[in-house]
Structures are given as structure tokens and as C-alpha cells.
Amino acid sequence: MNIEHVAAVDQAITSRHSVRAFLDKAVATSEIKDILQVASRAPSGTNTQPWKVYVVTGNKRREMIDRVVAAQLEIYESPEAANQYHETFAYYPETWISPYIDRRRENGWGLYGLLGIQKGEKKKMATQQLRNYQLFDAPVALFFTVNKAMGVGSKMDISMMIQNVMVAAKARGLDSCPQAAWNHFHGIVLDVLGAPDDEELVCTVALGYADPNHIVNTFITPRVEVDEFTVFLD
């Protein structure tokens, strides 16, 4: 076992967290290509490699943000407008149970509490929610899609590839935030991307350099102990 290699990999994994405030600092295309090349070593069933990635920056990024933010603002003004936007697959359960709902609430109120947002402050909550669709000011958006013909296993495959992307980025001093929030607006997203009809959006990742001075980036979610989620059988 190479201790230095173990330490480097462990550091990249454990230091990664969801960043919600980025610097206005460009990321080199060559570096993104390097990250994606490394990440493509992710395993996939029978080596199907079902992932497709759209790297969005500059004017196209601005167009994407403008259109999705406008859609979300429309929903705030007229809640019934949400009926025209649907996920292509259910990311969250229809009915929440413990301990998952408890962790979800702890996460939400922990973040809001850090930002000074109290229960009932709907306007402040909406403003923070809108930050998702502004990519938290990240200069790069990565949109991950799979072909609709592929099964649920392909979503497992692409998820491992996405994790590789975020860890490889962290090893290079970059930060990220995976976002399922964009999936409601997949119709708009795929239209801006010019993606074919046989693709579906799986996840969006904001990529860039974390703002070290923003309080939101001090929010680190906890993890339960190994013995709480693991069963050892001998």
C-alpha cells in the first residue's frame, strides 16, 4: 500500500463538499477535459459508458440561467405554472420516512440558519432557492445526460462518473455542487443545449473556484458513523 497515494485520494474525497458561492474566475477548457478524461474511467455495466456531458460557459451559460430563472420566477408569481415543468424521473420519494426526512430537515435548516433565514421567511427562502438556477455564480455548468433507451442501471453508471468528476476536480483545486434542482426544467435545459429528443437530464454540476470568504461555504454536512449503515457478516 502506498501511503501517499491513499492520503491523496482520501483527501480529495473527504475535502469535497457542495459549494454554494463561487469566484468569478474562469476554468481552463484543457483542465475540464483532463477531469472528464480521468472521470471516464468510472465503471459501467458491460462498459456501455452511457454518459454524455455538456460543458456550458460564457454566453450559453447566461442564456441557460436567464431562461430557467425566468421560469422559476413565473412559478413564484403563479404557482400553477409549475404544472408545465416535470422531472423525467423521481429523484426524491413521494412519501418521506425517517431517518431520511430528519436528515433532510437538518440539512435545510442548517443551511438556512447559517444564512440567517428563519421559518416563515418565504421571500428569503425563494431568493436562496433561486441561487441554484444562477449556478451559485460558478463559471462552468456541466449537464449530464443519458439516452432514454437505457435502463435505471445507466443512472447508477453516470452517477459514479459524476462522483469521479467532482473528486478529480477537487484534487485540482476546483470545487463543485451537484444539483438535482435543474431537473424540473429539463425541457428548457435540453433545448438550450440543443440535445436530441432521446436524451434525458440526470444531473447538473456547478464547477469553479470556491469563494473562501462567503459564509455559505462553511456549511459542511455531517455523515453518520460506518456502524450505523453497515452490516458485517462473517
Side-chain angles (χ1 to χ4, degrees):
M1 179 173 63
N2 188 310
I3 299 300
E4 291 184 358
H5 289 178
V6 171
V9 172
D10 287 358
Q11 174 65 16
I13 293 173
T14 58
S15 63
R16 189 218 65 80
H17 70 282
S18 294
V19 163
R20 295 179 174 86
F22 290 85
L23 296 174
D24 181 17
K25 181 179 178 181
V27 180
T29 299
S30 59
E31 192 156 34
I32 297 172
K33 285 183 177 180
D34 287 344
I35 289 169
L36 293 175
Q37 187 66 58
V38 170
S40 70
R41 293 304 308 173
S44 59
T46 62
N47 199 34
T48 51
Q49 304 174 63
W51 43 76
K52 188 169 181 179
V53 187
Y54 293 85
V55 181
V56 179
T57 59
N59 292 334
K60 187 61 70 173
R61 170 189 172 279
R62 173 47 54 192
E63 178 188 354
M64 183 75 77
I65 289 175
D66 287 347
R67 287 187 58 181
V68 174
V69 165
Q72 183 61 49
L73 290 175
E74 179 188 9
I75 292 172
Y76 289 154
E77 292 295 324
S78 305
E80 65 276 8
N83 295 329
Q84 63 185 302
Y85 303 110
H86 301 281
E87 298 173 298
T88 55
F89 66 94
Y91 185 91
Y92 293 113
E94 290 186 12
T95 303
W96 286 90
I97 61 172
S98 292
Y100 314 111
I101 184 61
D102 308 306
R103 295 170 186 166
R104 177 182 172 87
R105 287 169 176 162
E106 178 187 32
N107 183 74
W109 289 117
L111 177 62
Y112 282 163
L114 187 67
L115 296 173
I117 302 174
Q118 305 301 317
K119 285 187 177 181
E121 294 186 310
K122 294 182 178 180
K123 187 174 182 180
K124 288 183 179 180
M125 291 179 186
T127 298
Q128 180 58 31
Q129 183 184 24
L130 206 61
R131 294 284 294 149
N132 283 282
Y133 308 117
Q134 296 164 336
L135 295 167
F136 304 112
D137 297 328
V140 181
L142 305 176
F143 294 94
F144 295 82
T145 69
V146 295
N147 192 289
K148 293 177 181 178
M150 302 301 286
V152 66
S154 290
K155 290 185 174 63
M156 296 171 61
D157 296 339
I158 196 172
S159 296
M160 290 186 279
M161 192 268 194
I162 293 168
Q163 173 73 358
N164 276 1
V165 167
M166 293 189 292
V167 172
K170 187 62 184 177
R172 290 163 171 77
L174 288 159
D175 288 281
S176 58
C177 185
Q179 299 177 262
W182 287 77
N183 290 22
H184 283 92
F185 300 109
H186 67 93
I188 297 174
V189 170
L190 297 179
D191 181 56
V192 175
L193 296 178
D197 293 338
D198 61 1
E199 288 182 24
E200 67 173 322
L201 179 66
V202 175
C203 184
T204 302
V205 173
L207 179 71
Y209 296 93
D211 182 348
N213 299 317
H214 200 297
I215 191 173
V216 75
N217 288 334
T218 66
F219 183 68
I220 308 295
T221 53
R223 293 295 185 271
V224 300
E225 294 297 323
V226 170
D227 288 342
E228 189 171 336
F229 62 79
T230 308
V231 178
F232 291 94
L233 303 172
D234 189 355

